[in-house]
Short mmCIF file of all heavy atoms in Angstrom, two decimals:
data_model
loop_
_atom_site.label_atom_id
_atom_site.label_comp_id
_atom_site.label_asym_id
_atom_site.label_seq_id
_atom_site.Cartn_x
_atom_site.Cartn_y
_atom_site.Cartn_z
N MET A 15 62.83 180.37 71.88
CA MET A 15 63.44 179.95 73.12
C MET A 15 63.64 178.43 73.13
O MET A 15 64.69 177.95 73.47
CB MET A 15 62.56 180.40 74.28
CG MET A 15 63.00 179.87 75.59
SD MET A 15 63.87 181.12 76.47
CE MET A 15 63.75 180.48 78.09
N ILE A 16 62.60 177.71 72.74
CA ILE A 16 62.70 176.25 72.71
C ILE A 16 63.70 175.81 71.65
O ILE A 16 64.44 174.85 71.84
CB ILE A 16 61.32 175.61 72.47
CG1 ILE A 16 60.43 175.86 73.70
CG2 ILE A 16 61.43 174.13 72.19
CD1 ILE A 16 59.02 175.41 73.55
N GLN A 17 63.77 176.55 70.54
CA GLN A 17 64.73 176.22 69.49
C GLN A 17 66.16 176.36 70.01
O GLN A 17 67.02 175.54 69.69
CB GLN A 17 64.51 177.11 68.27
CG GLN A 17 63.23 176.82 67.55
CD GLN A 17 62.97 177.82 66.44
OE1 GLN A 17 63.63 178.84 66.35
NE2 GLN A 17 61.99 177.51 65.60
N ASN A 18 66.43 177.39 70.78
CA ASN A 18 67.76 177.59 71.35
C ASN A 18 68.09 176.46 72.32
O ASN A 18 69.22 175.98 72.35
CB ASN A 18 67.86 178.93 72.07
CG ASN A 18 67.92 180.08 71.10
OD1 ASN A 18 68.28 179.92 69.94
ND2 ASN A 18 67.54 181.26 71.56
N PHE A 19 67.12 176.08 73.13
CA PHE A 19 67.32 175.00 74.09
C PHE A 19 67.65 173.70 73.34
O PHE A 19 68.58 172.99 73.71
CB PHE A 19 66.06 174.83 74.95
CG PHE A 19 66.20 173.81 76.04
CD1 PHE A 19 67.08 174.02 77.08
CD2 PHE A 19 65.43 172.66 76.02
CE1 PHE A 19 67.20 173.08 78.09
CE2 PHE A 19 65.55 171.72 77.02
CZ PHE A 19 66.43 171.94 78.07
N GLN A 20 66.91 173.40 72.29
CA GLN A 20 67.16 172.20 71.50
C GLN A 20 68.52 172.27 70.81
O GLN A 20 69.23 171.27 70.73
CB GLN A 20 66.05 171.99 70.46
CG GLN A 20 66.17 170.68 69.72
CD GLN A 20 66.07 169.48 70.64
OE1 GLN A 20 65.20 169.43 71.49
NE2 GLN A 20 66.95 168.53 70.47
N ARG A 21 68.90 173.44 70.35
CA ARG A 21 70.21 173.61 69.71
C ARG A 21 71.33 173.30 70.71
O ARG A 21 72.29 172.61 70.38
CB ARG A 21 70.36 175.02 69.17
CG ARG A 21 71.66 175.26 68.43
CD ARG A 21 71.77 176.67 67.90
NE ARG A 21 71.55 177.70 68.91
CZ ARG A 21 72.48 178.11 69.78
NH1 ARG A 21 73.68 177.57 69.77
NH2 ARG A 21 72.21 179.07 70.65
N VAL A 22 71.19 173.79 71.93
CA VAL A 22 72.19 173.53 72.97
C VAL A 22 72.28 172.04 73.27
O VAL A 22 73.36 171.47 73.39
CB VAL A 22 71.88 174.34 74.26
CG1 VAL A 22 72.73 173.87 75.42
CG2 VAL A 22 72.06 175.82 74.01
N ILE A 23 71.13 171.39 73.37
CA ILE A 23 71.10 169.94 73.62
C ILE A 23 71.80 169.20 72.48
O ILE A 23 72.61 168.30 72.72
CB ILE A 23 69.65 169.45 73.78
CG1 ILE A 23 69.06 169.96 75.08
CG2 ILE A 23 69.57 167.93 73.71
CD1 ILE A 23 67.58 169.70 75.23
N ASP A 24 71.52 169.57 71.25
CA ASP A 24 72.13 168.91 70.09
C ASP A 24 73.64 169.12 70.06
O ASP A 24 74.40 168.19 69.78
CB ASP A 24 71.50 169.41 68.79
CG ASP A 24 70.05 168.99 68.64
OD1 ASP A 24 69.60 168.06 69.36
OD2 ASP A 24 69.35 169.62 67.82
N GLU A 25 74.08 170.35 70.34
CA GLU A 25 75.52 170.64 70.35
C GLU A 25 76.23 169.87 71.46
O GLU A 25 77.32 169.35 71.26
CB GLU A 25 75.76 172.14 70.52
CG GLU A 25 75.38 172.94 69.29
CD GLU A 25 75.45 174.44 69.54
OE1 GLU A 25 75.75 174.87 70.67
OE2 GLU A 25 75.19 175.19 68.58
N ARG A 26 75.61 169.80 72.61
CA ARG A 26 76.20 169.07 73.73
C ARG A 26 76.31 167.58 73.41
O ARG A 26 77.34 166.95 73.66
CB ARG A 26 75.36 169.29 74.99
CG ARG A 26 76.03 168.80 76.23
CD ARG A 26 75.24 169.18 77.45
NE ARG A 26 75.30 170.63 77.62
CZ ARG A 26 74.50 171.31 78.39
NH1 ARG A 26 73.56 170.71 79.08
NH2 ARG A 26 74.64 172.61 78.51
N GLN A 27 75.26 167.01 72.82
CA GLN A 27 75.29 165.60 72.47
C GLN A 27 76.34 165.33 71.39
O GLN A 27 77.01 164.30 71.43
CB GLN A 27 73.91 165.12 72.00
CG GLN A 27 73.83 163.61 71.83
CD GLN A 27 74.14 162.86 73.10
OE1 GLN A 27 73.56 163.15 74.13
NE2 GLN A 27 75.05 161.91 73.04
N ALA A 28 76.50 166.23 70.46
CA ALA A 28 77.54 166.07 69.43
C ALA A 28 78.93 166.06 70.08
O ALA A 28 79.79 165.27 69.68
CB ALA A 28 77.45 167.19 68.41
N ARG A 29 79.13 166.91 71.07
CA ARG A 29 80.41 166.94 71.77
C ARG A 29 80.63 165.64 72.54
O ARG A 29 81.72 165.09 72.55
CB ARG A 29 80.46 168.14 72.72
CG ARG A 29 81.83 168.40 73.24
CD ARG A 29 81.91 169.68 74.00
NE ARG A 29 80.64 169.93 74.69
CZ ARG A 29 80.46 170.84 75.61
NH1 ARG A 29 81.42 171.64 75.94
NH2 ARG A 29 79.29 171.00 76.19
N TYR A 30 79.58 165.12 73.16
CA TYR A 30 79.68 163.84 73.87
C TYR A 30 80.00 162.71 72.91
O TYR A 30 80.84 161.85 73.19
CB TYR A 30 78.38 163.52 74.60
CG TYR A 30 78.01 164.47 75.71
CD1 TYR A 30 76.74 164.46 76.26
CD2 TYR A 30 78.91 165.41 76.22
CE1 TYR A 30 76.38 165.32 77.28
CE2 TYR A 30 78.55 166.28 77.23
CZ TYR A 30 77.28 166.24 77.76
OH TYR A 30 76.92 167.08 78.76
N ASP A 31 79.35 162.70 71.75
CA ASP A 31 79.61 161.67 70.75
C ASP A 31 81.05 161.73 70.26
O ASP A 31 81.69 160.70 70.05
CB ASP A 31 78.65 161.81 69.57
CG ASP A 31 77.21 161.51 69.94
OD1 ASP A 31 76.96 160.90 71.00
OD2 ASP A 31 76.32 161.92 69.16
N GLU A 32 81.57 162.94 70.11
CA GLU A 32 82.97 163.12 69.70
C GLU A 32 83.91 162.58 70.77
O GLU A 32 84.90 161.93 70.47
CB GLU A 32 83.25 164.60 69.43
CG GLU A 32 84.67 164.90 69.03
CD GLU A 32 85.04 164.42 67.65
OE1 GLU A 32 84.16 163.93 66.91
OE2 GLU A 32 86.22 164.53 67.29
N ALA A 33 83.60 162.82 72.04
CA ALA A 33 84.43 162.31 73.14
C ALA A 33 84.45 160.78 73.14
O ALA A 33 85.50 160.17 73.34
CB ALA A 33 83.93 162.84 74.48
N VAL A 34 83.30 160.17 72.89
CA VAL A 34 83.22 158.71 72.82
C VAL A 34 84.05 158.20 71.66
O VAL A 34 84.79 157.22 71.78
CB VAL A 34 81.76 158.24 72.71
CG1 VAL A 34 81.68 156.76 72.38
CG2 VAL A 34 81.00 158.54 73.99
N ARG A 35 83.94 158.85 70.51
CA ARG A 35 84.71 158.43 69.33
C ARG A 35 86.20 158.53 69.60
O ARG A 35 86.97 157.62 69.27
CB ARG A 35 84.33 159.30 68.12
CG ARG A 35 84.95 158.82 66.82
CD ARG A 35 84.76 159.82 65.71
NE ARG A 35 85.46 161.08 65.94
CZ ARG A 35 86.79 161.25 65.86
NH1 ARG A 35 87.56 160.23 65.57
NH2 ARG A 35 87.34 162.42 66.06
N ILE A 36 86.62 159.61 70.22
CA ILE A 36 88.04 159.80 70.54
C ILE A 36 88.51 158.73 71.52
O ILE A 36 89.58 158.15 71.36
CB ILE A 36 88.30 161.22 71.10
CG1 ILE A 36 88.10 162.26 69.99
CG2 ILE A 36 89.69 161.34 71.70
CD1 ILE A 36 88.06 163.68 70.50
N TYR A 37 87.71 158.48 72.55
CA TYR A 37 88.08 157.45 73.54
C TYR A 37 88.25 156.09 72.86
O TYR A 37 89.26 155.42 73.04
CB TYR A 37 87.02 157.36 74.65
CG TYR A 37 87.27 156.18 75.56
CD1 TYR A 37 88.17 156.29 76.61
CD2 TYR A 37 86.64 154.96 75.35
CE1 TYR A 37 88.43 155.21 77.43
CE2 TYR A 37 86.89 153.87 76.16
CZ TYR A 37 87.79 154.00 77.20
OH TYR A 37 88.05 152.92 78.01
N ALA A 38 87.25 155.69 72.08
CA ALA A 38 87.29 154.38 71.44
C ALA A 38 88.48 154.26 70.49
O ALA A 38 89.15 153.22 70.44
CB ALA A 38 85.98 154.12 70.69
N TYR A 39 88.75 155.31 69.74
CA TYR A 39 89.88 155.29 68.80
C TYR A 39 91.21 155.19 69.56
O TYR A 39 92.05 154.35 69.23
CB TYR A 39 89.85 156.54 67.94
CG TYR A 39 91.01 156.64 66.98
CD1 TYR A 39 91.01 155.90 65.80
CD2 TYR A 39 92.10 157.45 67.24
CE1 TYR A 39 92.07 155.97 64.91
CE2 TYR A 39 93.16 157.54 66.37
CZ TYR A 39 93.15 156.79 65.19
OH TYR A 39 94.20 156.86 64.34
N ASN A 40 91.39 156.03 70.57
CA ASN A 40 92.65 156.04 71.31
C ASN A 40 92.86 154.78 72.14
O ASN A 40 93.99 154.41 72.43
CB ASN A 40 92.74 157.26 72.22
CG ASN A 40 93.02 158.52 71.45
OD1 ASN A 40 93.63 158.50 70.39
ND2 ASN A 40 92.55 159.64 71.96
N ARG A 41 91.78 154.12 72.51
CA ARG A 41 91.90 152.92 73.34
C ARG A 41 92.62 151.81 72.61
O ARG A 41 93.15 150.89 73.23
CB ARG A 41 90.49 152.48 73.78
CG ARG A 41 90.50 151.43 74.85
CD ARG A 41 91.17 151.96 76.11
NE ARG A 41 91.25 150.92 77.09
CZ ARG A 41 92.38 150.30 77.41
NH1 ARG A 41 93.52 150.64 76.87
NH2 ARG A 41 92.37 149.34 78.30
N GLN A 42 92.69 151.88 71.31
CA GLN A 42 93.41 150.87 70.53
C GLN A 42 94.90 150.87 70.85
O GLN A 42 95.55 149.83 70.79
CB GLN A 42 93.23 151.12 69.04
CG GLN A 42 91.80 151.02 68.57
CD GLN A 42 91.66 151.40 67.12
OE1 GLN A 42 92.46 150.98 66.28
NE2 GLN A 42 90.65 152.20 66.81
N TRP A 43 95.45 152.06 71.20
CA TRP A 43 96.88 152.18 71.42
C TRP A 43 97.25 152.65 72.82
O TRP A 43 98.36 152.41 73.26
CB TRP A 43 97.48 153.18 70.43
CG TRP A 43 97.33 152.72 69.02
CD1 TRP A 43 98.11 151.82 68.37
CD2 TRP A 43 96.32 153.11 68.10
NE1 TRP A 43 97.64 151.63 67.10
CE2 TRP A 43 96.55 152.41 66.90
CE3 TRP A 43 95.25 153.99 68.17
CZ2 TRP A 43 95.75 152.55 65.78
CZ3 TRP A 43 94.45 154.13 67.06
CH2 TRP A 43 94.71 153.42 65.88
N LEU A 44 96.37 153.34 73.48
CA LEU A 44 96.68 153.94 74.77
C LEU A 44 95.99 153.20 75.91
O LEU A 44 95.03 152.47 75.70
CB LEU A 44 96.23 155.41 74.81
CG LEU A 44 96.83 156.34 73.76
CD1 LEU A 44 96.18 157.71 73.86
CD2 LEU A 44 98.33 156.45 73.94
N SER A 45 96.47 153.45 77.12
CA SER A 45 95.82 152.88 78.29
C SER A 45 94.45 153.53 78.48
O SER A 45 94.15 154.56 77.89
CB SER A 45 96.67 153.11 79.54
OG SER A 45 96.66 154.50 79.87
N HIS A 46 93.66 152.93 79.33
CA HIS A 46 92.33 153.46 79.63
C HIS A 46 92.44 154.89 80.14
O HIS A 46 91.76 155.80 79.66
CB HIS A 46 91.64 152.57 80.67
CG HIS A 46 90.43 153.17 81.27
ND1 HIS A 46 89.24 153.26 80.60
CD2 HIS A 46 90.23 153.74 82.48
CE1 HIS A 46 88.35 153.84 81.38
NE2 HIS A 46 88.92 154.14 82.52
N SER A 47 93.31 155.12 81.07
CA SER A 47 93.49 156.45 81.68
C SER A 47 93.92 157.48 80.65
O SER A 47 93.40 158.60 80.63
CB SER A 47 94.52 156.36 82.80
OG SER A 47 94.75 157.62 83.36
N ASP A 48 94.86 157.12 79.80
CA ASP A 48 95.33 158.06 78.77
C ASP A 48 94.25 158.35 77.73
O ASP A 48 94.15 159.47 77.23
CB ASP A 48 96.58 157.51 78.07
CG ASP A 48 97.81 157.53 78.97
OD1 ASP A 48 97.80 158.26 79.99
OD2 ASP A 48 98.77 156.80 78.66
N SER A 49 93.44 157.36 77.42
CA SER A 49 92.34 157.56 76.48
C SER A 49 91.30 158.52 77.03
O SER A 49 90.81 159.40 76.32
CB SER A 49 91.68 156.23 76.13
OG SER A 49 92.58 155.39 75.45
N VAL A 50 90.97 158.37 78.32
CA VAL A 50 90.03 159.28 78.95
C VAL A 50 90.60 160.68 78.96
O VAL A 50 89.93 161.67 78.64
CB VAL A 50 89.68 158.82 80.38
CG1 VAL A 50 88.89 159.89 81.13
CG2 VAL A 50 88.89 157.52 80.35
N SER A 51 91.88 160.79 79.32
CA SER A 51 92.54 162.10 79.37
C SER A 51 92.53 162.78 78.01
O SER A 51 92.24 163.98 77.90
CB SER A 51 93.97 161.93 79.88
OG SER A 51 94.62 163.16 79.94
N ALA A 52 92.84 162.04 76.97
CA ALA A 52 92.85 162.61 75.61
C ALA A 52 91.46 163.09 75.22
O ALA A 52 91.31 164.17 74.64
CB ALA A 52 93.35 161.57 74.61
N SER A 53 90.45 162.32 75.58
CA SER A 53 89.07 162.73 75.27
C SER A 53 88.69 164.00 76.02
O SER A 53 88.05 164.89 75.46
CB SER A 53 88.09 161.62 75.65
OG SER A 53 88.31 160.49 74.86
N GLN A 54 89.10 164.08 77.27
CA GLN A 54 88.80 165.27 78.07
C GLN A 54 89.47 166.51 77.49
O GLN A 54 88.84 167.56 77.39
CB GLN A 54 89.28 165.08 79.51
CG GLN A 54 88.39 164.20 80.34
CD GLN A 54 88.93 164.05 81.73
OE1 GLN A 54 89.99 163.47 81.93
NE2 GLN A 54 88.20 164.57 82.69
N HIS A 55 90.72 166.40 77.13
CA HIS A 55 91.46 167.56 76.62
C HIS A 55 90.94 168.03 75.27
O HIS A 55 90.91 169.23 75.01
CB HIS A 55 92.95 167.24 76.53
CG HIS A 55 93.60 167.12 77.86
ND1 HIS A 55 93.71 168.17 78.73
CD2 HIS A 55 94.15 166.06 78.48
CE1 HIS A 55 94.31 167.78 79.83
NE2 HIS A 55 94.59 166.48 79.71
N ARG A 56 90.54 167.11 74.42
CA ARG A 56 90.10 167.52 73.08
C ARG A 56 88.67 168.01 73.03
O ARG A 56 88.29 168.74 72.12
CB ARG A 56 90.28 166.36 72.11
CG ARG A 56 91.76 166.09 71.88
CD ARG A 56 92.09 165.33 70.65
NE ARG A 56 91.49 165.86 69.45
CZ ARG A 56 91.25 165.09 68.39
NH1 ARG A 56 91.56 163.81 68.41
NH2 ARG A 56 90.72 165.62 67.31
N THR A 57 87.83 167.61 74.01
CA THR A 57 86.42 167.97 73.93
C THR A 57 85.91 168.77 75.12
O THR A 57 84.77 169.22 75.11
CB THR A 57 85.54 166.71 73.81
OG1 THR A 57 85.74 165.88 74.97
CG2 THR A 57 85.85 165.94 72.54
N ALA A 58 86.70 168.94 76.16
CA ALA A 58 86.30 169.67 77.37
C ALA A 58 85.05 169.04 78.02
O ALA A 58 84.17 169.74 78.48
CB ALA A 58 86.08 171.14 77.08
N VAL A 59 84.99 167.73 78.03
CA VAL A 59 83.89 166.99 78.64
C VAL A 59 84.45 166.30 79.89
O VAL A 59 85.54 165.75 79.85
CB VAL A 59 83.32 165.94 77.66
CG1 VAL A 59 82.27 165.08 78.32
CG2 VAL A 59 82.74 166.62 76.44
N SER A 60 83.70 166.33 80.97
CA SER A 60 84.19 165.75 82.22
C SER A 60 84.31 164.23 82.13
O SER A 60 83.67 163.58 81.30
CB SER A 60 83.26 166.12 83.38
OG SER A 60 82.06 165.40 83.30
N ARG A 61 85.13 163.66 83.01
CA ARG A 61 85.35 162.23 83.03
C ARG A 61 84.05 161.47 83.29
O ARG A 61 83.79 160.44 82.68
CB ARG A 61 86.38 161.87 84.10
CG ARG A 61 86.73 160.40 84.13
CD ARG A 61 87.68 160.08 85.28
NE ARG A 61 88.32 158.80 85.12
CZ ARG A 61 87.71 157.63 85.31
NH1 ARG A 61 86.46 157.57 85.64
NH2 ARG A 61 88.37 156.50 85.15
N ASP A 62 83.23 161.97 84.19
CA ASP A 62 81.96 161.31 84.50
C ASP A 62 81.05 161.24 83.29
O ASP A 62 80.39 160.21 83.05
CB ASP A 62 81.24 162.03 85.64
CG ASP A 62 81.99 161.92 86.96
OD1 ASP A 62 82.75 160.94 87.12
OD2 ASP A 62 81.81 162.79 87.81
N VAL A 63 81.01 162.30 82.52
CA VAL A 63 80.16 162.32 81.31
C VAL A 63 80.75 161.38 80.27
O VAL A 63 80.01 160.64 79.61
CB VAL A 63 80.01 163.75 80.75
CG1 VAL A 63 79.28 163.74 79.42
CG2 VAL A 63 79.27 164.63 81.75
N ILE A 64 82.06 161.40 80.11
CA ILE A 64 82.70 160.48 79.15
C ILE A 64 82.39 159.04 79.54
O ILE A 64 82.02 158.23 78.69
CB ILE A 64 84.23 160.72 79.08
CG1 ILE A 64 84.51 162.07 78.43
CG2 ILE A 64 84.91 159.59 78.31
CD1 ILE A 64 85.96 162.48 78.48
N LYS A 65 82.51 158.72 80.82
CA LYS A 65 82.21 157.37 81.29
C LYS A 65 80.77 157.00 80.99
O LYS A 65 80.49 155.93 80.43
CB LYS A 65 82.48 157.24 82.78
CG LYS A 65 82.22 155.86 83.32
CD LYS A 65 82.56 155.76 84.80
CE LYS A 65 82.30 154.35 85.32
NZ LYS A 65 82.64 154.24 86.74
N ARG A 66 79.84 157.88 81.33
CA ARG A 66 78.42 157.61 81.10
C ARG A 66 78.13 157.37 79.62
O ARG A 66 77.45 156.41 79.26
CB ARG A 66 77.59 158.79 81.61
CG ARG A 66 76.09 158.59 81.42
CD ARG A 66 75.30 159.82 81.74
NE ARG A 66 75.51 160.82 80.69
CZ ARG A 66 75.52 162.12 80.88
NH1 ARG A 66 75.34 162.63 82.07
NH2 ARG A 66 75.71 162.94 79.86
N GLU A 67 78.66 158.24 78.76
CA GLU A 67 78.39 158.12 77.33
C GLU A 67 79.09 156.91 76.72
O GLU A 67 78.54 156.26 75.82
CB GLU A 67 78.80 159.40 76.61
CG GLU A 67 77.97 160.61 77.02
CD GLU A 67 76.50 160.48 76.67
OE1 GLU A 67 76.18 159.98 75.57
OE2 GLU A 67 75.67 160.89 77.50
N CYS A 68 80.29 156.58 77.19
CA CYS A 68 80.99 155.41 76.67
C CYS A 68 80.29 154.12 77.09
O CYS A 68 80.21 153.17 76.31
CB CYS A 68 82.45 155.40 77.14
SG CYS A 68 83.50 156.59 76.30
N ILE A 69 79.79 154.08 78.32
CA ILE A 69 79.04 152.92 78.78
C ILE A 69 77.78 152.77 77.92
O ILE A 69 77.44 151.68 77.47
CB ILE A 69 78.70 153.03 80.27
CG1 ILE A 69 79.98 152.82 81.10
CG2 ILE A 69 77.63 152.00 80.67
CD1 ILE A 69 79.81 153.11 82.58
N ARG A 70 77.11 153.88 77.69
CA ARG A 70 75.90 153.87 76.85
C ARG A 70 76.22 153.37 75.44
O ARG A 70 75.43 152.65 74.84
CB ARG A 70 75.32 155.29 76.79
CG ARG A 70 73.95 155.35 76.18
CD ARG A 70 73.39 156.73 76.22
NE ARG A 70 73.08 157.09 77.60
CZ ARG A 70 72.85 158.31 78.02
NH1 ARG A 70 72.89 159.31 77.18
NH2 ARG A 70 72.56 158.55 79.29
N ALA A 71 77.41 153.74 74.93
CA ALA A 71 77.81 153.31 73.58
C ALA A 71 78.43 151.92 73.56
O ALA A 71 78.67 151.36 72.50
CB ALA A 71 78.79 154.33 72.99
N GLY A 72 78.73 151.37 74.75
CA GLY A 72 79.30 150.03 74.83
C GLY A 72 80.78 149.94 74.56
O GLY A 72 81.29 148.88 74.20
N VAL A 73 81.52 151.05 74.75
CA VAL A 73 82.96 151.03 74.48
C VAL A 73 83.81 151.25 75.73
O VAL A 73 85.03 151.29 75.63
CB VAL A 73 83.35 152.08 73.40
CG1 VAL A 73 82.68 151.78 72.09
CG2 VAL A 73 83.03 153.49 73.86
N TRP A 74 83.21 151.38 76.89
CA TRP A 74 83.96 151.67 78.12
C TRP A 74 84.75 150.45 78.53
O TRP A 74 84.24 149.34 78.62
CB TRP A 74 83.01 152.07 79.24
CG TRP A 74 83.69 152.52 80.48
CD1 TRP A 74 83.80 151.82 81.64
CD2 TRP A 74 84.36 153.77 80.72
NE1 TRP A 74 84.48 152.55 82.58
CE2 TRP A 74 84.82 153.75 82.03
CE3 TRP A 74 84.58 154.88 79.93
CZ2 TRP A 74 85.52 154.82 82.58
CZ3 TRP A 74 85.26 155.94 80.48
CH2 TRP A 74 85.73 155.91 81.78
N ASP A 75 86.05 150.63 78.77
CA ASP A 75 86.94 149.53 79.16
C ASP A 75 87.68 149.96 80.40
O ASP A 75 88.69 150.64 80.33
CB ASP A 75 87.91 149.24 78.01
CG ASP A 75 88.83 148.09 78.33
OD1 ASP A 75 88.46 147.24 79.15
OD2 ASP A 75 89.92 148.04 77.73
N ASP A 76 87.15 149.59 81.54
CA ASP A 76 87.72 150.04 82.82
C ASP A 76 88.76 149.10 83.35
O ASP A 76 88.75 147.97 83.31
CB ASP A 76 86.59 150.23 83.83
CG ASP A 76 87.02 151.05 85.01
OD1 ASP A 76 88.04 151.74 84.93
OD2 ASP A 76 86.29 151.02 86.01
#
């Protein structure tokens, strides 16, 4: 049971990391809003979570 819980946490964090990577990459060419949108569509992560994780990673550009 605990192993499944940890697996879910790890998978969720991997998805969050992917959203941050996509945001940071797209921010080079796209507006802030378009970068957030692209991250949301490719990873199915909410805007609030993307913002939180990007701030934590130091790449949020509002």
